[in-house]
Amino acid sequence: MSEQATTAAMPESPEQRFVAELATGTAKVQQCAECGQKFFQPRTHCPHCRSPRYSWEPLSMKGVLHSYTNLPAQKDRAAYNVVLVDMADGFRMMSTCPGMELDMSAIGQQLVAQIDLGCTPARIVFGAAA
C-alpha cells in the first residue's frame, strides 16, 4: 500500500484539526459528548471520562493569569515570557503574552486570547483584557 493511500485512510488528528482551525482565524477546542467537559491539548479521548466522542466548539478567549516566568534575552533572541492561563472553558493553557511586562501583581489579571497568524503554524497568545 502506498504512503498516500495510508495517509488518506487515517482519521484526522485532533492536533491537525486544532491547527487548521487556527489558520482560518478561529480557535476551537474539543468538548466531550459524554461528560460535557471542554478540554485542551487536542487528543483522541476525553481526559475526564475517556470517551472518544467529542465535538469542536469555539474557545471562549477569556482567561485569568495563573502563573508566569520571564525569560531573559539571549544573544540570538529577545526576552519573552511564558504564561499559564486558567481559561473560562475550564482548563489551563500555556502560551505567551507578547509585549506585556509581567510581575507578581499580574497574577489573577484578566487576559484575552488572540490568534497569532504571523507565525507558522498559527498559535494562541494572550493580551490584557480591555
Side-chain angles (χ1 to χ4, degrees):
M1 182 179 283
S2 75
E3 173 87 13
Q4 189 173 22
T6 302
T7 303
M10 292 175 62
E12 175 184 63
S13 132
E15 179 72 19
Q16 289 172 331
R17 171 72 184 263
F18 176 74
V19 171
E21 293 286 351
L22 287 181
T24 69
T26 305
K28 290 189 177 178
V29 294
Q30 294 162 287
Q31 182 170 13
C32 180
E34 298 298 322
C35 71
Q37 296 288 314
K38 289 183 179 179
F39 53 95
F40 181 82
Q41 292 280 359
R43 57 191 82 197
T44 60
H45 289 72
C46 173
H48 305 284
C49 72
R50 300 297 300 150
S51 171
R53 297 182 48 237
Y54 56 84
S55 61
W56 289 91
E57 303 298 330
L59 178 66
S60 72
M61 307 300 270
K62 296 178 183 178
V64 175
L65 182 63
H66 174 81
S67 186
Y68 73 94
T69 189
N70 290 313
L71 299 165
Q74 300 286 321
K75 69 177 181 177
D76 57 343
R77 68 161 173 75
Y80 67 101
N81 56 50
V82 176
V83 297
L84 290 175
V85 179
D86 291 328
M87 299 301 294
D89 298 286
F91 50 79
R92 189 169 288 156
M93 292 183 85
M94 181 168 50
S95 187
T96 185
C97 292
M100 285 182 68
E101 295 290 325
L102 299 175
D103 60 26
M104 290 302 291
S105 67
I107 301 295
Q109 181 177 350
Q110 298 288 320
L111 298 175
V112 64
Q114 303 159 358
I115 300 171
D116 179 1
L117 296 170
C119 60
T120 304
R123 65 184 181 144
I124 294 176
V125 298
F126 291 91

